[in-house]
Amino acid sequence: MLTNEQIETIRQNAEDAICSYADKTIYFKRSYDVLAKDVPALLEQIVLLQDETKRLERKIVELDDDWIRLLKERNKYKGKL
């Protein structure tokens, strides 16, 4: 998960890169405007996706544990038949 400090560093790096070219063309000014709006939202989305990935990984472990438990129960009953 990205820390607030990492997010700020990424934002600052993007801003610095755009600003260094901003006076050359209008395109870069527009790019900066888009990045200024979109980068924070994209970084927030990355953090949310990281959290969702962790949740899904935990769910996979739970399902795997359930699967092993069910196989053991099945084998126990199979042996009694």
Side-chain angles (χ1 to χ4, degrees):
M1 177 187 266
L2 292 173
T3 65
N4 288 339
E5 184 178 308
Q6 290 170 316
I7 291 170
E8 180 58 27
T9 299
I10 292 168
R11 188 199 62 73
Q12 188 61 48
N13 289 343
E15 185 176 321
D16 291 346
I18 297 296
C19 287
S20 66
Y21 294 104
D23 60 342
K24 294 188 179 181
T25 65
I26 293 172
Y27 173 77
F28 287 108
K29 174 65 175 132
R30 288 186 182 154
S31 295
Y32 174 78
D33 291 343
V34 169
L35 280 175
K37 293 176 192 168
D38 292 345
V39 167
L42 291 171
L43 291 173
E44 182 179 331
Q45 194 66 16
I46 288 169
V47 170
L48 292 173
L49 289 170
Q50 287 174 329
D51 291 344
E52 180 67 5
T53 299
K54 288 177 186 176
R55 186 190 71 75
L56 291 171
E57 287 171 346
R58 286 192 303 271
K59 186 66 177 175
I60 288 170
V61 169
E62 289 174 20
L63 291 171
D64 190 48
D65 291 344
D66 288 345
W67 176 250
I68 291 170
R69 182 183 51 78
L70 289 170
L71 286 175
K72 286 179 180 178
E73 285 181 25
R74 183 197 67 165
N75 289 338
K76 193 185 331 178
Y77 287 114
K78 247 176 128 176
K80 291 181 179 181
L81 296 176

